[in-house]
């Protein structure tokens, strides 16, 4: 699979050099992924290839009359996550090559803005897809109108295909962010922030998946992703709109959505972990169920993790807004001083002309 339009220099880099791997990483990774697909066609390797491509840990009984297939989680999910980790790298390269690079060439952005434009474009695609997918799951599982289903019937050890596949893709995407730091030639000073962001996302998603908090997890992800999506939309408008008409309204919309999303995440977490799961735990006191992590320690830890994350994000948000306000105030004051100085100079010149 060849990607057309890739930037190439006159001198071809040596095989297996850093530059060679960076320029051709999408082709290399797609070939590795293709080996698993070809393995399905060979009888000897089919079971091993199937382990990486298909979802496993089917919990539906064969004698059951239920037509919906349900899954749990297990060690084989690591193999599936690895395969879709490769797919995420390939899709990342396709979006970069065929969409973002073509748009950025027309915008003539600086290096700094070009990097931010690529980052926002990639994340906007992922957040938009995840929000659409997550809302579909919430509506299909009737989690929106029946909020109590977030904790009733816990532990929620069984998931339908699209529910489990959603979490597999989430884990694969945030894992693929680590090699992308190398493939995209991210500067060393920018790496800690990006590594921290991807690591926090992985920890929260993996915890929701392993502790069977998938229902509240998908709701919190949709809320957070929608807030992030509006931010990257506003930033892309900032890059595209040179007259800065839509820039102001884009950031106002993001600020409003961010505050509401933070409050909504905290309220939903308190409702689920402090109220809902506590009542379920008291009703099932003394009962030991496989996959049940509804203990006071885990509930308090999960609630504290969500609240602390939102406090940290809100702190950064307020700090950034104050910094922008100071910069705007300083710029406005400088403009006023410059304008008043120009007016005084014009008045002096006018007086001098009259005396002459």
């Amino acid at each position: 699979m060849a990607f057309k339009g890739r930037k190439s220099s006159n001198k071809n880099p040596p095989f297996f050099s850093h530059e060679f791997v960076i320029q051709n990483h999408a082709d290399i990774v797609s070939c590795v992924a293709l080996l698993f697909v070809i393995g399905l066609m060979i009888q000897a390797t089919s079971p091993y290839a199937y382990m990486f491509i298909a979802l496993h840990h089917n919990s539906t009984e064969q004698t059951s009359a239920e037509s919906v297939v349900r899954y749990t989680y297990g060690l084989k999910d690591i193999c599936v996550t690895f395969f879709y980790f490769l797919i995420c790298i390939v899709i990342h390269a396709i979006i970069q090559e065929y969409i973002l690079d073509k748009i950025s060439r027309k915008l003539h952005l600086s290096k700094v803005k070009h990097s931010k434009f690529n980052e926002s474009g990639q994340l906007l695609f992922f957040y938009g897809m995840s929000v659409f997918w997550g809302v579909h799951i919430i509506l299909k599982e009737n989690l929106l109108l029946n909020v109590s289903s977030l904790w009733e019937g816990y532990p929620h050890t069984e998931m339908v295909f699209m529910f489990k596949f959603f979490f597999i893709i989430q884990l694969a995407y945030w894992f693929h962010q680590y090699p992308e730091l190398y493939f995209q030639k991210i500067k060393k000073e920018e790496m800690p922030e990006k590594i921290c962001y991807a690591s926090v996302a992985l920890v929260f998603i993996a915890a929701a998946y392993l502790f069977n908090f998938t229902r509240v997890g998908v709701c919190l992800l949709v809320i957070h992703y929608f807030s992030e999506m509006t931010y990257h939309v506003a930033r892309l408008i900032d890059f595209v709109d040179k007259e800065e008409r839509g820039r102001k309204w884009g950031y106002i919309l993001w600020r409003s959505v961010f505050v509401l999303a933070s409050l909504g995440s905290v309220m939903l977490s308190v409702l689920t972990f402090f109220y809902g799961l506590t009542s379920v735990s008291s009703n099932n006191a003394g009962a030991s169920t496989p996959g049940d992590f509804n203990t006071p320690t885990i509930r308090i830890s999960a609630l504290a993790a969500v609240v602390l994350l939102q406090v940290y994000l809100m702190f950064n948000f307020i700090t950034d807004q104050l910094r922008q306000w100071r910069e705007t105030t300083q710029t406005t004051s400088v403009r006023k001083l410059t304008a008043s100085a120009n007016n005084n100079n014009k008045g002096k010149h006018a007086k001098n002309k009259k005396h002459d």
Side-chain angles (χ1 to χ4, degrees), residues 342-355:
N342 292 334
N343 291 332
N344 291 333
N345 291 331
K346 288 180 181 178
K348 290 180 180 179
H349 287 302
K351 289 180 180 179
N352 292 332
K353 288 182 179 179
K354 286 181 180 179
H355 288 300

Side-chain angles (χ1 to χ4, degrees), residues 321-341:
Q321 297 304 310
L322 290 175
R323 180 184 57 79
Q324 291 182 7
W325 178 75
R326 289 195 201 96
E327 291 177 353
T328 304
T329 304
Q330 291 176 358
T331 304
T332 304
S333 61
V334 169
R335 288 178 179 176
K336 288 181 179 180
L337 291 174
T338 305
S340 61

Side-chain angles (χ1 to χ4, degrees), residues 148-185:
S148 60
S149 61
L150 294 177
W151 58 81
E152 288 181 351
Y154 182 86
H156 308 128
T157 56
E158 296 183 343
M159 298 168 281
V160 296
F161 176 86
M162 293 304 291
F163 207 150
K164 176 171 181 173
F165 194 45
F166 174 82
F167 277 91
I168 293 294
I169 294 300
Q170 295 298 314
L171 293 171
Y173 181 85
W174 291 111
F175 266 120
H176 110 283
Q177 291 286 63
Y178 296 115
E180 285 297 338
L181 298 175
Y182 172 69
F183 296 145
Q184 300 299 323
K185 296 182 179 180

Side-chain angles (χ1 to χ4, degrees), residues 63-84:
T63 57
S64 177
E66 187 179 6
S67 59
V68 180
V69 180
R70 296 187 178 275
Y71 299 87
T72 59
Y73 65 82
L75 291 176
K76 292 183 180 179
D77 292 341
I78 299 174
C79 300
V80 181
T81 303
F82 174 74
F83 176 77
Y84 289 101

